[in-house]
Amino acid sequence: NQEIQKMAAEMHKILLDSPKIIEAVQDCFGFSIETIKKYNLGWSQKEKMHCLMPVLWNRLSIPILAKTQKLISIRFWHVQGITTGSTSQVLNLVPRTEAQTFWASQYRDRCKIWIVETEPDAILLSQYVKSCGKDSVVVSTIGIGNDIPIDFRTKDFAHSDVTFFVRNIRAAIFKARAIALSMACSPKIAVIPEPYTHIIDILTNLGSMAGISFLEKMETETSQSNIKTIKGTNKSSVFSKMVSQDNYKEKQDVDISIEKTFIKVLSDIISRPDYFGYLYANTIVSELNRIQPNCMGQRWHWRIVLGCLRRIGISFIRGKRTKKGVPILLNKNCLENLK
């Protein structure tokens, strides 16, 4: 950890001492010099950062912090026009980590949260939100797996007004759906309209006040139902392929909501003679992945299952996770109120 901190500090100094690189970073991402200093952004200069792999040279560095504000990783971003080596948009010093660039414990006291897909978009939006005197908290998803810190899934955020701004790309929308279904607050999903692609496009093209007002309008006009049906996709359902297993032989080429399919699978499991009110989330996960292995741009997992149970309003008791999975106590009649 000390080595990572030392690297971050050194790259931050390199960037501050390089006016031409600062100009390129500002042109590419829109950051002010105050923002560069605030988030300790840096530059992995090839001639000075010999400790890094060559693929990480000449990139913008963004320190990744845990919720305790402890530096645990660094993400390296491609800067258009000057990045050398790999053409990958972003690379990581530490492969996998549950971290966040803007996490702080006081967020749970804030009622409005905006989630965006990448750290640069979150940094820029935070900069614009502050300049406009707004009270919104901006956080970014974790790049690897496009997830969010586990804390956002807790009941502390159950009543927060959360909006997820996502690109109008099918895979991005599906991942946003998966995240939304696993969160207690059921965030709204606002799809960025054309001709814009990223948050940076909206902010740099419209300016600070007009850009923030545009996002606020998107937030207002986006309803909770968009978790089920999102504008910009060809179909509102992700279940649109032919399946041939057991009770799922029908051709599913029409819109079927996530909830309806989930309830059908759950009903089949708890109606079995060997069900006595107790099962593992992995049992549901396995059945759902058997039917549709590429749900929402990824495979089903236990967090999405628990999120579906909460969203649909099915009461359950969750046990401590074991090697077999997450145990769930479900009443055999739990679906009767939904019929």
Side-chain angles (χ1 to χ4, degrees):
N1 185 53
Q2 290 181 345
E3 291 181 0
I4 295 178
Q5 288 181 338
K6 184 178 179 180
M7 279 191 289
E10 186 175 351
M11 288 187 287
H12 181 58
K13 185 177 184 303
I14 291 172
L15 180 58
L16 294 181
D17 293 340
S18 308
K20 291 185 178 180
I21 300 299
I22 288 179
E23 184 178 352
V25 169
Q26 290 177 322
D27 289 342
C28 185
F29 297 105
F31 302 149
S32 66
I33 189 67
E34 291 78 13
T35 295
I36 290 174
K37 292 178 179 179
K38 178 180 179 180
Y39 295 108
N40 202 31
L41 307 184
W43 182 253
S44 58
Q45 187 175 337
K46 177 181 178 181
E47 292 77 12
K48 296 183 178 181
M49 298 303 297
H50 300 292
C51 58
L52 295 173
M53 295 183 295
V55 73
L56 300 178
W57 287 341
N58 295 336
R59 285 176 173 265
L60 175 71
S61 64
I62 300 181
I64 301 297
L65 308 177
K67 65 179 180 180
T68 58
Q69 299 301 295
K70 179 181 178 182
L71 179 62
I72 59 174
S73 184
I74 302 174
R75 286 168 65 76
F76 296 86
W77 280 82
H78 169 83
V79 178
Q80 189 173 2
I82 57 174
T83 296
T84 59
S86 172
T87 57
S88 298
Q89 185 182 23
V90 61
L91 297 169
N92 303 273
L93 185 64
V94 177
R96 298 188 71 87
T97 178
E98 281 282 327
Q100 177 79 340
T101 35
F102 314 108
W103 176 261
S105 59
Q106 59 265 30
Y107 282 5
R108 62 171 46 91
D109 299 323
R110 309 286 283 276
C111 60
K112 180 179 287 189
I113 299 172
W114 285 354
I115 303 175
V116 295
E117 291 185 86
T118 67
E119 288 90 356
D121 268 358
I123 290 174
L124 184 63
L125 185 52
S126 294
Q127 172 183 303
Y128 277 65
V129 164
K130 182 179 179 182
S131 68
C132 295
K134 301 292 183 178
D135 194 40
S136 300
V137 170
V138 182
V139 295
S140 63
T141 58
I142 300 169
I144 302 175
N146 200 23
D147 210 341
I148 60 170
I150 189 66
D151 302 67
F152 275 122
R153 305 180 191 280
T154 65
K155 61 182 180 180
D156 293 315
F157 293 92
H159 303 292
S160 297
D161 182 9
V162 182
T163 303
F164 197 141
F165 295 97
V166 63
R167 292 168 296 161
N168 193 8
I169 298 175
R170 192 174 182 84
I173 295 171
F174 286 170
K175 287 181 179 179
R177 271 195 187 136
I179 292 174
L181 285 169
S182 67
M183 294 177 68
C185 61
S186 298
K188 296 175 287 187
I189 299 177
V191 180
I192 298 174
E194 296 179 353
Y196 308 114
T197 304
H198 297 274
I199 294 291
I200 187 174
D201 300 329
I202 296 173
L203 298 177
T204 55
N205 281 283
L206 299 181
S208 57
M209 289 300 296
I212 295 298
S213 297
F214 184 86
L215 293 175
E216 288 177 332
K217 184 178 180 181
M218 285 181 61
E219 176 188 34
T220 303
E221 294 180 351
T222 302
S223 65
Q224 295 282 356
S225 63
N226 276 319
I227 292 178
K228 302 177 185 176
T229 305
I230 302 177
K231 296 178 181 178
T233 61
N234 294 327
K235 290 181 180 291
S236 63
S237 169
V238 299
F239 302 98
S240 59
K241 294 183 178 180
M242 173 81 78
V243 290
S244 58
Q245 297 93 340
D246 296 66
N247 299 326
Y248 300 90
K249 295 182 180 180
E250 68 269 25
K251 184 177 180 181
Q252 299 181 355
D253 57 355
V254 296
D255 291 350
I256 303 176
S257 70
I258 293 172
E259 287 84 354
K260 184 175 180 180
T261 304
F262 180 84
I263 290 171
K264 183 175 181 180
V265 169
L266 183 60
S267 177
D268 287 347
I269 292 174
I270 65 178
S271 62
R272 294 171 184 170
D274 59 347
Y275 178 74
F276 297 101
Y278 173 80
L279 76 160
Y280 283 96
N282 287 351
T283 303
I284 306 175
V285 168
S286 299
E287 187 71 9
L288 288 166
N289 279 326
R290 186 175 68 84
I291 299 164
Q292 177 50 264
N294 193 33
C295 169
M296 295 172 283
Q298 63 181 47
R299 291 182 65 81
W300 283 84
H301 55 77
W302 64 269
R303 286 193 182 124
I304 301 178
V305 166
L306 298 187
C308 282
L309 289 171
R310 292 190 185 98
R311 273 193 54 76
I312 295 169
I314 299 175
S315 59
F316 66 96
I317 298 176
R318 172 189 166 184
K320 187 175 181 180
R321 189 179 183 187
T322 67
K323 291 183 179 180
K324 293 184 179 180
V326 178
I328 302 174
L329 187 64
L330 276 171
N331 190 299
K332 199 173 181 69
N333 301 319
C334 64
L335 296 176
E336 287 186 354
N337 293 332
L338 303 178
K339 296 179 180 179

